[in-house]
Amino acid sequence: MKKKILALVLIVALVASLAIALTACDPDKGDTIKFGLICLHDETSTYDKNFIDAAQTAADKLGVELVITKNVKESEMCYQAAADLVDQGCDVIFADSFGHEDYMIQAAKEFPDVTFAHATGTKAHTEKLPNYFNAFASIYEARYLAGIVAGYELNKMIAEGKQGTPTIGYVGAYTYAEVISGYTSFYLGAKSVCPTVQMQVQFTGSWFDIAREAEAATNLIGNGCWLISQHADSMGAPNACAQVGVPNVTYNISTKESCGDSYLVGSKVNWEPYFEYLLNRVANGETPVYDWTGDISTGSVVVLEYGNTVSEEAKAAVEAAKAKLVAGTLEVFDCSTFTVNGETVTSYLADVDSSNNTSDNIVKETEAIVNDAERGIVYFAESLYRSAPYFDLNIDGITLLNSAF
């Protein structure tokens, strides 16, 4: 009898051990993975909230434990935050801001058994560390689509008798390629339906500054801009627009509820697909790609809900352009749609391998213009050679009121 009981106990223990082992190998369970997220700000930043929401959704879906460290400056503070997350047992650590990169690389070199990844970074493909990776998405596609909505709004104002040049005001954080790529794609989307549109850009010199962003939006409105959009992370610009009834196109979140009819549409990067990819790769013992670029087809680029005043015609135009982007028959930076100093761009060296750069010398080494004879398109190939944007052309029709590097 005792032998039977002992045998039964051993069988139960064996089954339990086998179940635990199977669960540990199942990436959907994620029991062996602990995920650390480093954020530049907290939920008051629309940018950081977007990451936090996506990370939590991915962690919940995969059964992964998530640890979030917020308000981490682009300084040695980032390295310390990464080291602390390592001490807490995190297997995967992700940082969300451009200036975090060097500190993440420092941590990756010190902790080779931990996987580090970074948004909007440029150095993974040149550092070639076995545990450090970059990721971004083709957000310029969604900004282009949002620009179509803006163009229809401008056309409506013209039809209603508004005088002057239809002008978009844009609040930018820094004069980085990421911001330049964003406002240029937005402008080209608007121009595709409102050919006479112009754009003015004012930079704040900060990713998150409510007062400066509101001031920039107010200045642009006072300067004659009919509509405002932004690549900055607070509610400063949307609120400034709502106060005076100027149409606004957002980034990262919809402000339809808080800003009413001032809100037109918005765009965002959906980070959930990448987080799931990254965590499953690590769980399976597989190496992520150095530069992961999500797009519309992966669900990584999203056009937000439409505002109350957006016409069905505008919505249909967005859907038609979206289908062309997915099919590959439309390129956002089609060189036939813009000029630089009055000339069509036929060749341009981009700064892709930024590891070559110094504070005194920016090396541009990669030909970014692709002549696709099969499709009959000559275009600037954004996010092809690395995930982070490198489009930094100053095209005609866009005026920079200041600069903030």
Side-chain angles (χ1 to χ4, degrees):
M1 185 67 177
K2 289 182 178 179
K3 289 182 179 180
K4 289 184 179 179
I5 293 174
L6 179 59
L8 182 60
V9 170
L10 289 174
I11 290 171
V12 171
L14 180 61
V15 171
S17 297
L18 180 60
I20 291 171
L22 288 173
T23 299
C25 292
D26 183 354
D28 289 335
K29 296 297 183 181
D31 292 275
T32 61
I33 300 297
K34 191 172 184 178
F35 181 24
L37 176 64
I38 296 174
C39 297
L40 181 62
H41 301 110
D42 55 27
E43 291 88 347
T44 59
S45 160
T46 58
Y47 177 81
D48 294 276
K49 186 179 188 306
N50 188 40
F51 279 96
I52 292 167
D53 290 347
Q56 192 63 65
T57 300
D60 290 345
K61 183 175 180 179
L62 300 181
V64 170
E65 182 181 353
L66 175 64
V67 182
I68 305 175
T69 304
K70 305 171 186 176
N71 297 308
V72 178
K73 295 179 180 179
E74 295 171 319
S75 68
E76 186 69 18
M77 184 179 181
C78 178
Y79 164 77
Q80 295 295 340
D84 181 61
L85 289 170
V86 172
D87 288 342
Q88 293 184 58
C90 290
D91 307 279
V92 180
I93 299 172
F94 183 95
D96 75 357
S97 193
F98 181 79
H100 286 149
E101 181 161 40
D102 288 343
Y103 306 100
M104 291 291 283
I105 291 172
Q106 179 186 352
K109 290 177 179 178
E110 184 170 340
F111 305 105
D113 294 331
V114 176
T115 297
F116 294 84
H118 176 249
T120 77
T122 64
K123 298 181 179 179
H125 71 289
T126 52
E127 290 283 337
K128 290 184 168 57
L129 298 175
N131 64 328
Y132 177 72
F133 310 96
N134 289 144
F136 201 48
S138 55
I139 185 62
Y140 59 90
E141 293 179 320
R143 286 193 186 277
Y144 180 90
L145 296 175
I148 291 174
V149 176
Y152 271 91
E153 183 70 16
L154 296 174
N155 285 340
K156 182 169 67 175
M157 293 181 190
I158 294 170
E160 291 172 350
K162 190 172 180 65
Q163 299 297 306
T165 302
T167 305
I168 293 171
Y170 200 96
V171 179
Y174 292 99
T175 321
Y176 289 165
E178 180 185 345
V179 180
I180 297 171
S181 175
Y183 66 64
T184 305
S185 56
F186 181 68
Y187 172 75
L188 291 174
K191 186 181 177 185
S192 72
V193 294
C194 181
T196 58
V197 66
Q198 299 285 300
M199 175 181 277
Q200 298 177 11
V201 184
Q202 182 165 333
F203 297 95
T204 64
S206 171
W207 290 118
F208 181 88
D209 191 312
I210 297 173
R212 285 186 191 177
E213 291 166 38
E215 180 183 14
T218 300
N219 289 344
L220 288 164
I221 294 167
N223 213 34
C225 292
W226 296 14
L227 180 151
I228 302 294
S229 189
Q230 66 274 337
H231 189 159
D233 300 340
S234 84
M235 286 290 292
N239 285 338
C241 291
Q243 288 173 9
V244 293
V246 170
N248 177 246
V249 176
T250 66
Y251 182 43
N252 289 315
I253 65 166
S254 165
T255 61
K256 186 175 182 178
E257 184 175 345
S258 59
C259 294
D261 287 348
S262 174
Y263 169 80
L264 288 180
V265 72
S267 62
K268 75 170 186 176
V269 175
N270 175 20
W271 283 96
E272 183 187 347
Y274 179 68
F275 289 149
E276 290 183 20
Y277 162 84
L278 178 65
L279 294 169
N280 279 323
R281 278 274 175 165
V282 174
N284 287 328
E286 299 170 342
T287 302
V289 296
Y290 278 124
D291 274 278
W292 186 93
T293 308
D295 56 23
I296 291 175
S297 66
T298 63
S300 303
V301 175
V302 178
V303 176
L304 301 177
E305 65 178 333
Y306 294 106
N308 297 325
T309 63
V310 176
S311 69
E312 293 303 316
E313 184 182 5
K315 295 175 186 178
V318 169
E319 290 306 311
K322 180 179 177 181
K324 291 179 180 179
L325 287 171
V326 173
T329 57
L330 171 65
E331 292 290 342
V332 168
F333 297 113
D334 183 335
C335 293
S336 69
T337 64
F338 66 88
T339 57
V340 175
N341 296 324
E343 301 290 333
T344 299
V345 179
T346 58
S347 178
Y348 187 76
L349 293 180
D351 171 24
V352 173
D353 295 332
S354 58
S355 60
N356 298 320
N357 297 339
T358 66
S359 58
D360 300 322
N361 187 35
I362 302 298
V363 178
K364 295 190 173 185
E365 77 300 309
T366 301
E367 177 58 64
I369 305 300
V370 172
N371 188 340
D372 191 330
E374 185 176 342
R375 291 190 294 161
I377 302 175
V378 179
Y379 66 98
F380 186 108
E382 177 70 301
S383 298
L384 175 64
Y385 303 110
R386 73 177 190 212
S387 57
Y390 41 83
F391 183 100
D392 60 357
L393 289 164
N394 293 313
I395 74 169
D396 296 332
I398 300 178
T399 301
L400 308 187
L401 301 184
N402 67 340
S403 62
F405 291 90

